């Protein structure tokens, strides 16, 4: 299909464009002369502003991707998706409890999930989206929080869901409930906050503020360092809060 | 080009050397530099000290401040609206206008409401979507001294030394003493930090810190904080207008700031906001691509707030110092400039040269670390890439060797996912890095409550200056947008209640600015603020017709 070497043809909003290989979809759209206003945010896979729908000539499926994180392919036929509106009931996190039915109460539509797995197949982050919806339905806040943690709220899942579920809003509430009510508050932090109220720590600070530049420099150079060995417990992915419980299968995303 | 598991053959040869030296490097870290060695390295190799890259600002309160040409160009530019714009028809009349819906802006809005403002009398105006910002992109973590053998005083020392003692001490004091309160607030809001079984935070070291005090949420720390804040602001019914950047501040007849002119990016219709107080939280400037460096920043990081505030008479500080993050991705080309979080080094990955040798302590302050990478490449010890730039290796597989298999996947999922998307397995292979434009160290001068030198105008977050001096440490800017966003929100709410008496709106300050520019002999057709960078293809622009449609 390509006429020049190193160029491929892609179809953008119904028109054919020749673009160099190796560009991301976002860079290809700009190469073709479009100035993005919507459809670009972080440009690095963190904000979810750039969801893209496309088809390939060799496959009947609809594919979804983040434009800033996906390379163009020859014969790709794509559109950028507008955002998916989310209108959901407001809540005051301080007034609600983390009960098994809390998520269902706030998002009754999750009961309508038909377990078609479309959301999981569509998620550009490779998350087990259906599983976190099902966990929310069962009232397993922890699992819903863990599985949805890497969600960037691109809305692709919601645009494809036959049950009109607002997945990322469900995940967000699950995580906030988990962070606030399920994870224990840090005892060390609580102690430090109390200590700050006594004013002792501030006195130490004021003493530093009173030093001359030279004295301060000297103090800086005499700092002792905490070595990583002092930190007795090495980081362990299994023993800590907020580590993914299911290994995510990223391979799905790098097909081709 | 033939790739073997993501890398061309020439790069694979160097990877083989990295693998060879890995066993002997484990547990042996290159020693840290002495202050003299650091100074010498910075002078010789940091982009800030490069000859000819900067010119002095020619007028205004900061006349004489040296700025990179790309930034100076924006100060020496014409406004997008003329001073004669009709201001009689006010579209929104509010108590508090917040310009910029990133972290600082959202925190300020929440606390202004907590301090008593009616949410419907607050307005957040932002350039892209609410939360499309540098805040969302932060990966590594946020500092706070909350363990027994750490203290705000120790945090103070680290921050001052990291900034080469150019920081404003009263701002650093506010930063470090509020830090535990901020983390506590986040805990109450349900931010899901990484914790151990007792609920204590899992802490990592960061460049230039003497204690492990980096709180993180996998490597999506900024995303996690930002989405919780956005949800909280939404639940408080705080109005947000998206795709509506501010293009000029409005003053009253006394020169006090009294709102802004916004523009709808799609319809190009302007929108006048009158406000009793205004907070600028527009973030950084990476998208100006100083000295042609790639950047880690989001699409809208174009220094708009600096330009607007300077036109209204606010003083700036330390904008001569720009932070280049040592570890931007250098390969593959599609990832160029994207951030490789410092946490990768914090967890044990060493930087090594093309021969697989260590050449620098992995966690020097950022400017020093970046300079060391630049020097290594200029000595011919970097690794060339097919797209022309060089880089040094970051030996990522060490993280799993030190902390156990699976650590990269669970503690650095964003990094792992990004490399996987472009065909590289960072649990098996090192990754190539080179410094990238990352952070605006300086900015608008404020007091510890976010008040600028102009009445009615507050600033918080990356756009403010002074707290980090000429070099910020990792984890102190997620902290600073929370600390100073909160302080500015509360202070602005008090100002609204107690002092603000805006009179007639005026753009006289813009006319004055243009006069100063003329007096300084500057003739230009350039305009500012920039709003968005332009990445359209040359080939397409060659045939661009600027016609009315
Ligand atoms: C990739 C990356 C990783 C980082 N990692 C860390 C880290 O690990 N730890 C740490 O402490 N810091 C980190 N930082 C730095 C930190 O994230 C930022 O400095 C901080 O979040 C800035 O917050 P802010 O609210 O001031 O600006 P932003 O979050 O950038 O928000 C500014 C907002 O203002 C909007 N805006 C801009 N111009 C206008 C205008 N004219 N009108 C209206 N709105 C406008 C923007 O669109 C944006 O939404 C990182 C930064 C980046 C880019
Ligand atoms: S879960 Fe849905 S909203 Fe979240 S990243 Fe995946 S597709 Fe996007
Ligand atoms: S797409 Fe909707 S209905 Fe289908 S599995 Fe996902 S949540 Fe359930
Ligand atoms: S632009 Fe943010 S995810 Fe693509």
């Amino acid at each position: 299909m390509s006429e020049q070497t190193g160029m491929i043809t892609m179809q953008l909003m119904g028109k054919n464009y020749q673009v160099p290989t190796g560009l991301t979809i976002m860079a290809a759209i700009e190469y073709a002369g479009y100035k993005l206003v919507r459809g670009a945010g972080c440009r690095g896979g963190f904000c979810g502003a750039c969801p893209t729908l496309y088809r390939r000539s060799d496959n009947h499926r609809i594919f979804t991707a983040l434009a800033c994180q996906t390379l163009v392919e020859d014969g790709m036929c794509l559109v950028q998706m507008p955002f998916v509106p989310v209108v959901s009931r407001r809540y005051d996190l301080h007034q609600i409890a983390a009960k098994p039915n809390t998520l269902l109460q706030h998002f009754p539509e999750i009961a309508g999930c038909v377990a078609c797995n479309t959301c999981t197949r569509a998620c550009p982050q490779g998350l087990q989206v259906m599983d976190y919806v099902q966990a929310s339905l069962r009232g397993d806040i922890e699992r819903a929080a863990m599985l949805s943690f890497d969600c960037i709220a691109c809305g692709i899942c919601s645009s494809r869901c036959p049950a009109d579920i607002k997945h990322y809003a469900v995940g967000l509430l699950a995580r906030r409930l988990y962070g606030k009510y399920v994870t224990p508050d840090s005892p060390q932090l609580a102690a430090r906050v109390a200590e700050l109220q006594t004013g002792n720590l501030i006195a130490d600070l004021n003493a530093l503020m009173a030093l001359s530049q030279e004295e301060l420099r000297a103090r800086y150079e005499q700092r002792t360092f905490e070595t990583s060995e002092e930190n007795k417990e090495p980081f362990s992915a299994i023993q800590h809060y907020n580590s993914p419980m299911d290994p995510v299968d990223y391979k799905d995303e790098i097909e081709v | 080009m033939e790739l073997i598991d993501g890398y061309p053959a020439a790069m694979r040869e160097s990877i083989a050397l990295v693998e060879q030296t890995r066993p002997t490097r484990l547990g042996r870290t290159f020693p840290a530099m002495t202050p003299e060695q650091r100074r010498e390295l910075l002078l010789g190799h940091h982009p800030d000290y490069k000859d000819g890259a900067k010119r002095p600002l020619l007028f205004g309160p900061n006349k004489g401040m040296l700025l990179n040409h790309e930034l100076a160009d924006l100060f020496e530019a014409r406004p997008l609206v003329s001073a004669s714009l009709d201001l009689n028809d006010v579209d929104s009349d509010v108590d508090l206008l917040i310009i910029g819906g990133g972290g600082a802006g959202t925190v300020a809005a929440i606390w202004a409401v907590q301090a008593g403002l009616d949410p419907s009398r607050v307005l957040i105006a932002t350039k892209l979507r609410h939360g499309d910002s540098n805040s969302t992109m932060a990966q590594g973590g946020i500092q706070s001294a909350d363990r027994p053998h750490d203290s705000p005083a120790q945090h103070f020392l680290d921050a001052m030394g990291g900034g080469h003692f150019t920081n404003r001490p009263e701002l650093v004091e506010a930063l470090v003493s509020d830090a535990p309160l901020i983390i506590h607030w986040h805990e109450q809001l349900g931010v899901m930090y990484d914790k151990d079984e007792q609920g204590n935070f899992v802490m990592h070291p960061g460049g230039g810190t003497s204690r492990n005090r980096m709180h993180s949420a996998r490597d999506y720390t900024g995303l996690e904080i930002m989405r919780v804040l956005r949800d909280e602001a939404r639940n408080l019914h705080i109005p947000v207008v998206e795709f509506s950047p501010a293009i000029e501040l409005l003053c009253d007849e006394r020169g006090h700031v009294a709102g802004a002119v916004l523009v709808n990016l799609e319809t190009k219709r302007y929108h006048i906001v009158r406000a009793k107080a205004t907070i600028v939280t527009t973030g950084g400037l990476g998208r100006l691509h100083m000295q042609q460096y790639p950047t880690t920043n989001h699409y809208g990081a174009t220094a708009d707030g600096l330009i607007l505030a300077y036109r209204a008479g606010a003083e700036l500080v330390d904008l001569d110092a720009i932070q280049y993050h040592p570890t931007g991705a250098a390969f593959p080309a599609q990832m160029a400039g994207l951030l490789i979080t410092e946490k990768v080094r914090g967890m044990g990955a060493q930087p090594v040269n093309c021969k697989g040798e260590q050449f620098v302590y992995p966690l020097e302050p950022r400017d020093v670390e970046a300079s060391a990478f630049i020097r290594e490449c200029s000595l011919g010890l970097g690794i060339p890439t097919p797209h022309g730039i060089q880089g040094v290796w970051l030996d990522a597989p060490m993280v799993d060797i030190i902390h156990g298999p699976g650590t990269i996947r669970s503690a650095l999922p964003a990094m792992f996912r990004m490399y996987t998307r472009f065909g590289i397995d960072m649990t098996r292979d090192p990754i190539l890095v080179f410094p990238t434009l990352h952070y605006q160290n300086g900015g608008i001068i404020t007091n510890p409550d976010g008040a600028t030198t102009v009445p009615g105008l507050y600033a918080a977050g990356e756009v403010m200056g002074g707290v980090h001096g000429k070099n910020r440490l990792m984890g102190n800017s997620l902290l600073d947008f929370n600390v100073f966003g909160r302080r500015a929100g509360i202070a602005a709410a008090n100002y609204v209640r107690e002092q603000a008496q805006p009179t007639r709106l005026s753009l006289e300050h813009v006319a004055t600015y243009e006069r100063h520019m003329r007096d300084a002999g500057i003739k230009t057709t350039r305009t500012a603020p920039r709003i968005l960078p332009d990445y359209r293809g040359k080939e397409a622009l060659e045939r661009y017709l600027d016609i009315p449609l």
Side-chain angles (χ1 to χ4, degrees), chain A residues 26 39-50 66-68 152:
Chain A
M26 182 172 285
C42 66
R43 306 178 72 101
F46 286 89
C47 77
C50 62
L66 297 175
C68 69
I152 57 171

Side-chain angles (χ1 to χ4, degrees), chain B residues 29-334:
Chain B
T29 309
F30 201 86
M33 279 178 233
T34 63
E36 292 71 45
Q37 288 171 322
R38 285 184 182 168
R39 234 182 325 270
E40 199 183 316
L41 179 63
L42 286 175
L43 286 175
H45 296 277
H46 195 275
D48 273 348
Y49 300 96
K50 199 169 160 183
D51 289 337
K54 293 181 192 171
R55 67 175 189 263
L57 196 53
L58 294 177
F59 56 93
N62 287 97
K63 186 171 169 177
M65 183 187 321
L66 280 177
L67 298 174
N68 275 281
H69 295 302
E70 294 82 355
L71 184 54
D73 281 351
L74 294 187
F75 284 99
E76 298 176 3
R78 312 212 38 217
L80 292 170
V81 289
S82 91
S84 59
L85 190 76
D86 179 8
L87 303 175
N88 286 318
D89 237 343
V90 172
D91 297 281
S92 304
D93 202 352
V94 296
D95 285 342
L96 175 62
L97 170 66
I98 294 169
I99 302 174
T106 311
V107 171
I110 293 171
W111 282 96
V113 169
Q114 307 281 11
L117 290 192
D118 175 351
S120 67
R121 305 274 307 150
V122 176
L123 179 66
I124 300 179
T126 194
K127 185 187 293 187
L128 299 166
R129 301 177 315 165
H130 187 190
D132 287 352
S133 61
N134 282 355
S135 300
T136 298
M137 304 185 75
Q139 302 164 14
I142 174 167
Q143 289 198 43
S144 164
D146 39 63
R147 289 187 307 159
H149 63 293
D150 195 1
S151 66
Q154 195 73 21
H155 190 175
F156 180 90
L157 267 184
D158 288 345
M160 292 295 292
H164 311 301
F165 304 94
T166 51
N167 327 43
R168 301 188 156 219
E170 69 281 10
L171 297 181
V172 185
E173 182 194 23
L175 184 81
V176 301
S177 52
D178 282 5
L181 306 176
I182 290 294
I183 305 290
H184 184 65
W185 177 53
H186 287 173
E187 228 179 18
Q188 301 311 306
L189 290 178
V191 173
M192 231 171 102
Y193 283 111
D194 299 346
K195 289 184 168 183
D196 66 16
E197 308 91 287
Q198 283 82 44
N200 284 315
F201 299 95
V202 178
M203 303 273 199
H204 293 282
T209 64
S210 59
R211 297 286 183 277
N212 301 348
R213 68 169 80 88
M214 208 65 69
H215 305 54
S216 55
R218 299 188 190 168
D219 57 354
Y220 285 111
T221 313
L223 172 69
E224 170 60 0
I225 296 174
M226 187 68 231
R227 63 195 177 189
V228 167
L229 293 172
R230 182 174 49 205
D231 193 47
E232 189 64 11
R234 230 182 127 246
N235 283 317
L236 289 170
H237 299 268
I238 297 168
V240 180
V241 301
E242 299 185 326
F243 297 102
S244 298
I247 52 172
E248 207 66 75
L249 290 174
L250 289 168
C251 290
D252 65 12
E253 285 158 326
R254 298 162 306 173
H256 297 185
V257 169
V261 183
L262 313 180
V263 68
N264 178 323
L265 279 183
E266 282 148 330
T267 63
K268 309 266 168 80
R269 183 188 185 278
Y270 72 86
H271 180 113
I272 307 278
V273 184
R274 179 166 57 200
K276 292 184 184 153
T278 303
I279 311 181
V280 181
T281 54
T282 50
L285 47 55
R287 291 283 157 189
L288 302 182
H289 296 293
M290 265 78 143
Q291 303 187 34
Q292 265 115 60
Y293 270 82
T295 185
T296 59
N297 286 192
H298 82 117
Y299 192 35
T302 51
D304 301 358
L306 296 177
I307 309 303
L308 268 50
Y310 199 60
R311 285 181 183 161
E315 277 180 57
L316 312 171
V317 68
D318 290 335
L319 282 169
D320 52 328
I322 302 297
Q323 183 165 87
Y324 298 82
H325 194 292
T327 54
F331 184 87
Q334 304 84 8

Side-chain angles (χ1 to χ4, degrees), chain A residues 22-24 30-38 40-49 66 68-71 83 86-94 124-127 145-153 172 175-176 178-180 183-190 192-193 196-197 201-202 204-206 208-209 213 216-217 219-221 223-228 230-231 233-237 239-245 247-251 253-254, chain B residues 35 38-39 128-129 132 136-137 139 145-154 156-158 160-162 164-165 169-170 173 176-177 180-181 183-184 187-204 208-212 217-220 223-224 227-228 230-232 234-235 237 243 265-266 287 297-300 334 338 347 365 403 406-407 409-411 413-414 416-418 420-422 532-537 539-540:
Chain A
L23 295 185
T24 59
E30 290 172 331
Y31 177 88
Y34 289 80
K35 173 135 185 178
L36 294 170
V37 173
R38 288 182 189 264
C42 66
R43 306 178 72 101
F46 286 89
C47 77
L66 297 175
C68 69
Q69 294 287 296
T70 311
L71 299 181
F83 66 99
V86 182
V87 180
S88 55
R89 203 147 52 87
R90 311 285 160 115
Y91 47 79
D92 178 353
L93 194 72
H94 307 284
Q125 290 287 84
L127 305 185
M146 291 299 181
L147 291 182
S148 69
F149 189 83
D150 295 2
C151 168
I152 57 171
L172 177 59
R175 291 190 302 272
R176 290 193 66 185
Y178 181 75
K180 182 173 171 65
T183 327
D185 282 349
S186 159
Q188 287 175 347
L189 178 65
R192 178 49 46 88
V193 169
L196 272 170
Q197 254 119 45
L201 295 168
I202 304 303
D204 290 349
L205 253 182
N206 288 340
L208 283 182
M209 302 263 296
Q213 265 272 343
L216 197 62
R217 275 176 196 272
R219 286 288 293 276
Y220 179 70
E221 266 132 44
R223 285 175 312 163
T224 56
F225 277 77
E226 170 177 4
T227 59
S228 21
E230 256 178 69
N231 198 3
E233 285 171 53
F235 180 82
S236 145
Q239 278 164 21
H240 292 78
Y241 288 95
N242 195 12
S243 358
M245 305 202 308
V248 176
D249 188 5
Y250 298 103
K251 297 225 180 54
E253 294 169 73
I254 47 164
Chain B
R38 285 184 182 168
R39 234 182 325 270
L128 299 166
R129 301 177 315 165
D132 287 352
T136 298
M137 304 185 75
Q139 302 164 14
D146 39 63
R147 289 187 307 159
H149 63 293
D150 195 1
S151 66
Q154 195 73 21
F156 180 90
L157 267 184
D158 288 345
M160 292 295 292
H164 311 301
F165 304 94
E170 69 281 10
E173 182 194 23
V176 301
S177 52
L181 306 176
I183 305 290
H184 184 65
E187 228 179 18
Q188 301 311 306
L189 290 178
V191 173
M192 231 171 102
Y193 283 111
D194 299 346
K195 289 184 168 183
D196 66 16
E197 308 91 287
Q198 283 82 44
N200 284 315
F201 299 95
V202 178
M203 303 273 199
H204 293 282
T209 64
S210 59
R211 297 286 183 277
N212 301 348
R218 299 188 190 168
D219 57 354
Y220 285 111
L223 172 69
E224 170 60 0
R227 63 195 177 189
V228 167
R230 182 174 49 205
D231 193 47
E232 189 64 11
R234 230 182 127 246
N235 283 317
H237 299 268
F243 297 102
L265 279 183
E266 282 148 330
R287 291 283 157 189
N297 286 192
H298 82 117
Y299 192 35
Q334 304 84 8
L338 291 183
M347 298 183 80
H403 300 281
T407 307
R409 273 188 163 217
S410 58
F416 179 71
R417 181 176 277 124
M418 189 142 80
T420 305
R421 280 174 177 148
F422 295 109
L532 290 173
D534 195 345
Y535 296 130
R536 286 175 296 176
E539 295 78 358

